[in-house]
Amino acid sequence: MDNKPHISLQDIGTDLPFTVPDHYFDDFAARMEAATATQRPPLRHMLKSWLYMAALFAGVFLLGNLAYIIYQRNTNLKIENYERYLLSQVDEGALIDFYYEDLTNTEQ
């Protein structure tokens, strides 16, 4: 093989290395139309995709609902624990006096 540093366009020539089969473009439009003609997908295929989508939305809804229920339950437990903590910090006698004073103030 000859090691030339540069190849000129005159050395390459004008011959094209690729060819098109004979009469390829004569019926090209008809073949393209036949290949890309829209065919209706089978009903089973359409229903299958719709059922997948419905199942996806139902799953998202159920997971969201479950997350909301867990959030509400945790919120209620936090409130209940806070009330227990407050009641544990108050003296029982002071609590009875507070309620008694409140009852006597409302009767007057």
Side-chain angles (χ1 to χ4, degrees), residues 63-77:
L63 285 176
N65 196 9
L66 179 65
Y68 180 72
I69 289 171
I70 291 172
Y71 171 77
Q72 285 296 98
R73 189 174 296 161
N74 286 342
T75 303
N76 290 340
L77 284 175

Side-chain angles (χ1 to χ4, degrees), residues 1-22:
M1 183 157 179
D2 195 15
N3 290 335
K4 290 184 178 180
H6 299 288
I7 298 175
S8 67
L9 290 177
Q10 284 93 16
D11 294 341
I12 293 175
T14 58
D15 295 335
L16 297 176
F18 303 107
T19 59
V20 177
D22 294 335

Side-chain angles (χ1 to χ4, degrees), residues 38-99:
T38 57
Q39 298 175 359
R40 290 187 60 166
L43 183 62
R44 179 178 53 121
H45 179 69
M46 288 176 37
L47 286 177
K48 194 176 185 182
S49 61
W50 281 100
L51 285 175
Y52 285 152
M53 206 174 326
L56 173 77
F57 284 120
V60 168
F61 175 75
L62 290 175
L63 285 176
N65 196 9
L66 179 65
Y68 180 72
I69 289 171
I70 291 172
Y71 171 77
Q72 285 296 98
R73 189 174 296 161
N74 286 342
T75 303
N76 290 340
L77 284 175
K78 286 179 186 177
I79 291 171
E80 185 177 321
N81 286 339
Y82 183 71
E83 289 175 355
R84 284 183 187 170
Y85 170 74
L86 286 179
L87 288 176
S88 71
Q89 299 301 314
V90 176
D91 183 25
E92 190 174 323
L95 192 59
I96 292 173
D97 289 340
F98 174 76
Y99 283 124

